[in-house]
Amino acid sequence: MTEAAVANPNQTPQDVRDRVERYWPGLTAEPGGVDYREVEVGGLPALWAVPKEAVEDRVIFSVHGGGGVSGSIYTHRKLFAHLAKAAGARALLVEYRQQSYPVPLDDVTTAYRWLLDQGVDPRRTAFIGDSIGGNLAISTMLRARDSGLPLPAALMLISPWVDLTVSNETFESNRENEEFFYKEVVSYLASAYLAGASPTEASVSPLYADLSGLPPMYIQVGGHETLLGESLEFEQKARKAGVDVRLDEFPEQLHTFQMGAGNSPESDEAIRRLAEWVRPRLTTPVAR
């Protein structure tokens, strides 16, 4: 990705999307024993990943990353299917239009309302998102809280992009470890997503939101990634807001390294931890 950007600095967003759709799926091995069913949610495509041993009423609501300009339910289907299989649940992969804020957030919120309308118990539902998908998962949950919708039982975040000011010191301290998500790249992605919105607006950058009342949260982040610092800050802010939060930092790993599931022992270990953490939260609903 870096070499392509350097070779063609005038590449279009569609060029980036085409490259991601072509190459990203190869990062992840097929989990096996999982069926995929396409559905339409709010006029947008969505995908059920249903492991053979899944319990029907346990759902992982999955929001893919891609910087807001790329990625899809198809680039991420195997990643979320690995987690669903390990957790013994179904996964609903939701799509959103790759436009500026607030369009992606509106689409993900619509998808969550659709899931609730299907009669799925939110107490047996968990959210997960990677990168900007993590941002959208948190922001959707905050919208649900503020509008009186029931919240899910748990939230899992993979390398979440929670601060669109792109100002954390790890953009510099981890620069030599990085392969792609340099400050210049992330700043470009932030500018495209914001389209004039303030980067410190709570529904744009969850780091600046009131996090009180959110369900238990598990964050995974790579020790070498440039977004490390904002994940650490977000954990502390959530903890101060009274949220039950866990953060695991994986030494020497980069942004969303979990995409290597089935091909990388570090990725498989991360998936195992996510599944082990979320499984009891889906099987033992707490009274609300």
Side-chain angles (χ1 to χ4, degrees):
M1 294 289 286
T2 303
E3 290 172 357
V6 171
N8 182 13
N10 297 317
Q11 64 182 332
T12 67
Q14 189 59 52
D15 291 334
V16 176
R17 281 192 284 272
D18 290 346
R19 191 177 301 112
V20 167
E21 290 292 332
R22 181 177 180 183
Y23 292 111
W24 277 20
L27 295 172
T28 320
E30 285 286 359
V34 178
D35 292 326
Y36 299 94
R37 297 205 306 266
E38 294 181 327
V39 293
E40 186 176 287
V41 174
L44 291 168
L47 195 67
W48 281 107
V50 185
K52 300 295 186 185
E53 304 299 325
V55 178
E56 184 74 11
D57 67 351
R58 301 172 193 167
V59 174
I60 299 175
F61 183 89
S62 309
V63 191
H64 70 80
V69 300
S70 63
S72 71
I73 56 177
Y74 301 105
T75 59
H76 283 62
R77 68 171 179 85
K78 291 183 284 186
L79 168 65
F80 293 129
H82 273 282
L83 175 59
K85 182 177 180 179
R90 296 185 295 159
L92 177 66
L93 286 65
V94 300
E95 194 57 273
Y96 51 88
R97 288 168 289 175
Q98 290 172 353
Q99 299 178 19
S100 301
Y101 169 85
V103 172
L105 178 56
D106 291 342
D107 289 345
V108 178
T109 304
T110 295
Y112 183 51
R113 289 181 179 274
W114 178 89
L115 183 68
L116 295 175
D117 288 344
Q118 305 309 300
V120 173
D121 188 345
R123 298 172 301 174
R124 290 184 179 266
T125 302
F127 274 33
I128 187 168
D130 68 292
S131 195
I132 197 170
N135 178 314
L136 293 169
I138 302 163
S139 297
T140 298
M141 196 171 293
L142 292 170
R143 270 194 177 182
R145 179 198 64 187
D146 294 344
S147 62
L149 288 176
L151 297 183
L155 170 61
M156 295 172 283
L157 302 171
I158 293 173
S159 299
W161 186 20
V162 293
D163 182 7
L164 271 69
T165 67
V166 196
S167 57
N168 197 276
E169 62 179 14
T170 52
F171 278 103
E172 298 304 328
S173 62
N174 266 343
R175 186 178 181 88
E176 296 304 313
N177 300 319
E178 186 53 72
E179 297 289 345
F180 180 71
F181 287 97
Y182 302 109
K183 185 170 185 175
E184 297 87 344
V185 173
V186 180
S187 295
Y188 164 77
L189 295 172
S191 177
Y193 182 72
L194 291 168
S198 169
T200 58
E201 185 174 331
S203 57
V204 168
S205 294
L207 183 63
Y208 303 97
D210 171 16
L211 304 177
S212 60
L214 293 190
M217 184 185 304
Y218 179 20
I219 305 167
Q220 291 186 344
V221 64
H224 274 181
E225 67 172 291
T226 51
L227 271 65
L228 169 63
E230 60 193 71
S231 284
L232 298 175
E233 284 190 40
F234 188 74
E235 177 214 11
Q236 291 303 310
K237 179 157 188 178
R239 196 176 301 280
K240 288 178 182 177
V243 179
D244 176 4
V245 58
R246 165 181 169 180
L247 183 144
D248 283 354
E249 178 182 335
F250 289 75
E252 300 182 359
Q253 296 302 303
L254 292 175
H255 190 65
T256 63
F257 69 93
Q258 293 84 349
M259 285 289 286
N263 290 320
S264 157
E266 293 86 357
S267 303
D268 292 341
E269 172 62 14
I271 297 297
R272 185 195 66 77
R273 292 189 200 179
L274 286 166
E276 185 178 73
W277 181 85
V278 78
R279 197 179 301 112
R281 290 168 172 82
L282 294 176
T283 57
T284 312
V286 294
R288 293 179 185 268

